Every structure is written in structure tokens, then in C-alpha cells.
Amino acid sequence: MTRAAPDPRKTLDPDRVAQWLACHPDFFVGREGLLQQLKVPHPETRGTTSLLERLVHDLRSRAEQAEWRLEQLLESARHNEGQYRRTRELVLALLEAEDNDALGQALATQLAERFHTPAVALWCPASLTDAEPQPPQPPRQILDDHASQRLAALLDGRASRCTRLTPTDWKRLLPHVPAPDKAGSCALSRLTLGEPLGYLVLASPDPDHFRASMDTLFTEYVGEVVARLLVRLTPASP
């Protein structure tokens, strides 16, 4: 009685077959006809397709993915270039300010025009304004205990943060800008230069403009520039 030949699928380990083929890349030399006979599952429809057609499909898919990744990199590069140019114009405008009022107004104008940030407040302690001949003009505000406590609470121990801003907080922290009917969002940064110099508040009525998940590197950078210019432009006490 003739014994049936064992099913190769049950006697051959697929991993060992793959390892053997990887170690013997010349196996198909002289067996090109076998390559044409091989059938593999079609990646998109039921049934099979030739090995060569499957390779062409896979190569085309890889090329499309590489093209998509390249486009993403180019888009990121274009965004970063635009961000750099806008930041450069902002800093140059701040450097041209002749006093702290002009600094605050330049900050508000540049952020509104170049970064779509409609509301800005610059809260500084009275020690930075005592020697000025006139009271500070918006967006500059004199930091009092109530504003200081609320800003510190919103920062929650951090140097900078993006968070929601209720209409009540908006009215208190941006009194020179009409408050929205609903909660907006803001980016806060503590101003320091060896000593506390106040707070920078960037706000928008759009609750998603400043999301909690956003990076605050830009806000911190602007705050560092503003802090240095505040000290430089503050008149010496008589």
C-alpha cells in the first residue's frame, strides 16, 4: 500500500524556509521559470497575483509613502520658515521701541497682525513704573496682589502654560480688551530676569487657539525678550 506524501505545509516550518532562502539568495538562479509560477495573495482583492506583480505593487506603495513623507517634511520646513520670519519681525519691532509703553503697543500690534493673537496684557510690578512721568498705557498693567494671585494660580507652579480663560478672568486680566461671552484660551508666561518682573498674557476668544497640549517655547522666548527690554527701557529712579 502506497503511503500518501506528507503535506509540505505541515512538515516545513515557514520561518526556517524564510531563513534558508535569506541565506541562499542564489536559489532562483537558473530557476527563473519558478519565479513566474509563484502566486502570492493579492494585497487589495481576493485571489492571488504573480510574485513580480506583487513586487511592483509593493514598490509603488513604498514610493507613494516616501513621497508623502517628503511632502510632510517640506510642509514642516515651510511652516518653520514662516514662523522664523514672523518671530524675526516681532523681535525687530520690539527692539525699536523707545519706552515701555511703545514696547507694549508694539508687542500687541505684532502679535495681532503676525500671530493672530487679538489680546495681550503685560502685568508688571509698580517698581517698574514708579519713575515714569505718566501712568502705563495698555496693554501694560500695574501688577496688584489680586492679579498676581490669580496669574500664579493659573500657572499652577509652572513658568509658562496654555489654558482656558473664563470671561471673569478675561475681565480681570485683560481689562482693556472687551471680554467674550464664553470662555476663551490664553498662554501665560512668568517674566523674570534675576528677579520677578511680572507676567505676559496672550489671549484669544477661541477656546482652541491656545490648547493645554501646545508647546510654550514661543511664549517663553517672547517673555525673555520682553523682560530684558523692560529692564533696559525702565527709567532710572531719581
Side-chain angles (χ1 to χ4, degrees):
M1 182 176 179
T2 304
R3 297 179 62 183
D7 187 346
R9 292 176 295 181
K10 297 181 180 180
T11 59
L12 294 177
D13 183 351
D15 291 335
R16 296 186 63 183
V17 173
Q19 183 180 7
W20 189 91
L21 288 174
C23 295
H24 297 81
D26 59 345
F27 173 76
F28 289 102
V29 176
R31 299 182 176 89
E32 287 77 8
L34 178 60
L35 284 173
Q36 298 177 7
Q37 297 175 25
L38 289 176
K39 298 292 183 181
V40 296
H42 196 284
E44 297 178 352
T45 62
R46 291 184 178 180
T48 61
T49 184
S50 72
L51 178 61
L52 294 178
E53 289 178 351
R54 175 61 184 267
L55 289 174
V56 170
H57 178 276
D58 289 348
L59 288 174
R60 184 182 297 113
S61 177
R62 291 181 183 181
E64 291 174 351
Q65 292 177 7
E67 183 179 358
W68 179 82
R69 287 195 294 268
L70 177 60
E71 182 58 33
Q72 292 295 107
L73 289 173
L74 291 174
E75 181 63 28
S76 178
R78 287 190 288 265
H79 171 76
N80 290 338
E81 181 182 5
Q83 191 79 348
Y84 162 75
R85 291 183 181 277
R86 290 190 295 272
T87 303
R88 176 177 176 271
E89 294 299 325
L90 165 64
V91 173
L92 290 176
L94 297 181
L95 291 174
E96 292 176 355
E98 297 181 353
D99 55 39
N100 281 335
D101 274 341
L103 174 67
Q105 292 165 9
L107 179 65
T109 299
Q110 291 293 319
L111 288 173
E113 294 180 355
R114 302 187 187 280
F115 295 93
H116 307 292
T117 302
V120 176
L122 192 56
W123 287 89
C124 297
S127 58
L128 288 181
T129 63
D130 286 343
E132 296 181 4
Q134 300 293 333
Q137 299 299 308
R140 296 173 65 210
Q141 304 288 341
I142 298 179
L143 188 65
D144 55 26
D145 290 340
H146 182 71
S148 180
Q149 292 173 6
R150 187 57 192 147
L151 286 164
L154 288 173
L155 279 171
D156 193 24
R158 288 170 253 188
S160 60
R161 183 190 182 194
C162 293
T163 186
R164 298 293 291 272
L165 191 66
T166 66
T168 300
D169 280 334
W170 185 298
K171 292 176 183 178
R172 182 65 189 89
L173 301 179
L174 297 114
H176 54 288
V177 182
D181 295 331
K182 299 181 180 180
S185 59
C186 69
L188 309 172
S189 184
R190 194 188 307 273
L191 303 179
T192 58
L193 189 61
E195 60 179 338
L197 295 176
Y199 299 87
L200 174 63
V201 183
L202 314 182
S204 170
D206 181 358
D208 294 323
H209 190 82
F210 296 105
R211 298 183 301 275
S213 59
M214 290 178 61
D215 188 272
T216 57
L217 182 62
F218 173 76
T219 309
E220 292 174 7
Y221 172 70
V222 173
E224 290 173 354
V225 173
V226 169
R228 284 160 172 77
L229 291 176
L230 280 172
V231 172
R232 181 184 302 177
L233 296 173
T234 296
S237 301

